[in-house]
Structures are given as structure tokens and as C-alpha cells.
Amino acid sequence: MIGNNVYNKKSLVLSHSSLLHYQGVSYITKAMLLKIIFMIGLCWGTGDAAAGVGDDSLNLYLDLVFDNLQVLIIENGYDPAALPNATAEFSEKVLLVTWHGEAALYDGWLRGISSLHRSSNADFVTDEQGVITGITAGSSMEQMKGHYKCLAKFMDLGPIADVVFNINGVDTTFAAILDRQVCRFKVSSLNVDSIGHISVDIHGLGPLNWIMEIVSDLVVNVAELFIRDTIEDSVQSLLNEALDSVDISILGPILGCDPVQ
């Protein structure tokens, strides 16, 4: 928890032409323009009991942060991401003799982590006195796709199969606290709430088709664990870098922070 109350804000509506202009400017100009938009949104909401920001203004701020995050994810090699190798053992009785085998996944990759974006309206979080303590928003990833090679060994058989899998989106929750010393938001949590259905398609097992379910379960388990670990650890660190890239110190008097000069 980063605060006690989620602040209900007035809405600051930007015209379509203004939004197009915002999307067309350079990175540096975007950051400068965002300060102005953010400031207007904050001032717009000051008529309420506590300082607030217009929905569109705070959303635009986080959209810029997530745009920067998407670039960082690609630049740091997480899209496509290399998947870990994994193995599963199995056995089958043939002519009263129990034979043991192994399915090994290797050369795996996953695409789609860089589609992480804000998926719900952002909110300020405030304490009992109405002082801003942080922000929160829903975030998600779109359709994701992965691939593995699978070497299955059983008796004298050793086919190499292609494994393709698709993930029907991932829902996450983002929260950040306000560091008043530097007037920056810092990630307090980036949690994976749910992972959509994972469909697995396997070709090339030949006479070992009977282990298809074993291989499918292995792929699903590895993919889910990898996504959770990567998002909640590595991507969370990159999200802090993305938050640092947007200077909001100009809003110090309104946010109640005193950045160190």
C-alpha cells in the first residue's frame, strides 16, 4: 500500500489536434510540453479538497513513461527475450519393462514484453490529509508469442520438435511512491495479476506424440514463471529508469516536494 485514499480527479480534456501535436514533437520537447500539460491539470483540480490532476494529464504522463519503458525493454534485450532451457522426465512401460525418457526445451524466445502499457486510468494516492503520496494504474501486455526447440529422448528415439505458443495477454498493476527528496516517482510494485490462456502447438514428435501433454505443461509452467520473474524484477527496474527520465521537479510546490539542488 502506498497511501490510504485514491483521489477522484476532475477531467481535463485535451483537443484531438493538441494530442496529435503532442505525439509529433521530439523526445525533449515532449517532456517540456508534458510539464505544461501536467501543470495545467494540477491547477485545474485545485478547486477540490486536495490538489488533483486531470485524468488526461496524469494519463499522458504515464503514457510517456511507458513509451520510454518500451524502448528500454527492447534496448536491454527483453523483447525478444531468451527463454531458459528446461527438461521434464517421463516413463512408459513397454513389454513389462519401464523405460525412462526426457523432453528438453532449448533455444527458446518470447516476443511481446515491450507491449507493456497503461491499461486503465491513473490515479494519485493521497494520505488522510490529502497530501499526494504516489500514483497507481493498471497496465497490461498484448498478445505474446514464443518458440522452443524440443529434443525428446525415449528408447532409441530422439525426434526434435518445434514448439510454438501464444499467450492471450498479461494484466499487471503498477504503483509508485513520491520521493520528495528528488521529486520523482519511484516504483513500489509492478505485479503480474493474471496471465491469459497459453495455447501450445507442437510439431515433429512423431511416434512420441503421446508426450505432447507433458511438453505442453512444461512450456506453460516455464513461460508463466519467466513472465512473472521478468516483469516483477527486471522490467520493474527499467520502469524506475523510465520514471527518472521525466523531470517533474517544476511541480515541486504543488506536489509538496523539495528537490535537492
Side-chain angles (χ1 to χ4, degrees), residues 44-98:
W44 186 271
T46 54
D48 291 333
V53 65
D55 289 336
D56 290 341
S57 300
L58 187 53
N59 287 340
L60 282 173
Y61 163 68
L62 279 186
D63 287 344
L64 177 59
V65 169
F66 275 94
D67 284 348
N68 293 343
L69 174 63
Q70 291 173 0
V71 174
L72 289 171
I73 288 172
I74 295 172
E75 288 181 345
N76 284 271
Y78 292 106
D79 200 348
L83 291 171
N85 296 342
T87 59
E89 296 181 347
F90 56 90
S91 62
E92 181 74 3
K93 184 173 289 188
V94 180
L95 298 177
L96 303 180
V97 177
T98 299

Side-chain angles (χ1 to χ4, degrees), residues 74-244:
I74 295 172
E75 288 181 345
N76 284 271
Y78 292 106
D79 200 348
L83 291 171
N85 296 342
T87 59
E89 296 181 347
F90 56 90
S91 62
E92 181 74 3
K93 184 173 289 188
V94 180
L95 298 177
L96 303 180
V97 177
T98 299
W99 294 80
H100 297 274
E102 181 182 82
L105 300 177
Y106 63 98
D107 286 351
W109 52 261
L110 177 67
R111 295 185 185 275
I113 293 179
S114 65
S115 68
L116 185 61
H117 64 281
R118 177 187 61 79
S119 58
S120 69
N121 282 332
D123 291 290
F124 272 135
V125 177
T126 63
D127 61 17
E128 293 86 347
Q129 289 73 43
V131 177
I132 294 171
T133 59
I135 51 177
T136 184
S139 51
S140 64
M141 288 174 282
E142 303 297 342
Q143 296 285 330
M144 306 173 74
K145 183 175 183 178
H147 179 270
Y148 264 119
K149 288 287 188 181
C150 176
L151 173 61
K153 293 182 178 180
F154 182 74
M155 298 177 69
D156 293 328
L157 302 174
I160 297 178
D162 275 312
V163 181
V164 177
F165 61 96
N166 294 280
I167 304 172
N168 190 27
V170 177
D171 291 325
T172 62
T173 301
F174 156 76
I177 58 175
L178 178 61
D179 185 341
R180 300 186 184 282
Q181 295 300 313
V182 294
C183 210
R184 291 286 201 282
F185 288 106
K186 302 291 184 181
V187 180
S188 56
S189 64
L190 180 61
N191 297 325
V192 174
D193 298 326
S194 64
I195 298 176
H197 175 70
I198 302 178
S199 59
V200 183
D201 194 12
I202 305 172
H203 295 282
L205 286 176
L208 295 184
N209 269 342
W210 55 275
I211 69 167
M212 190 172 294
E213 184 175 352
I214 295 172
V215 175
S216 295
D217 289 344
L218 179 61
V219 170
V220 170
N221 291 336
V222 172
E224 288 184 342
L225 182 60
F226 178 81
I227 290 171
R228 290 187 184 279
D229 287 347
T230 301
I231 295 300
E232 295 178 355
D233 185 4
S234 302
V235 174
Q236 178 171 318
S237 296
L238 295 177
L239 183 51
N240 265 326
E241 291 186 36
L243 285 167
D244 283 341

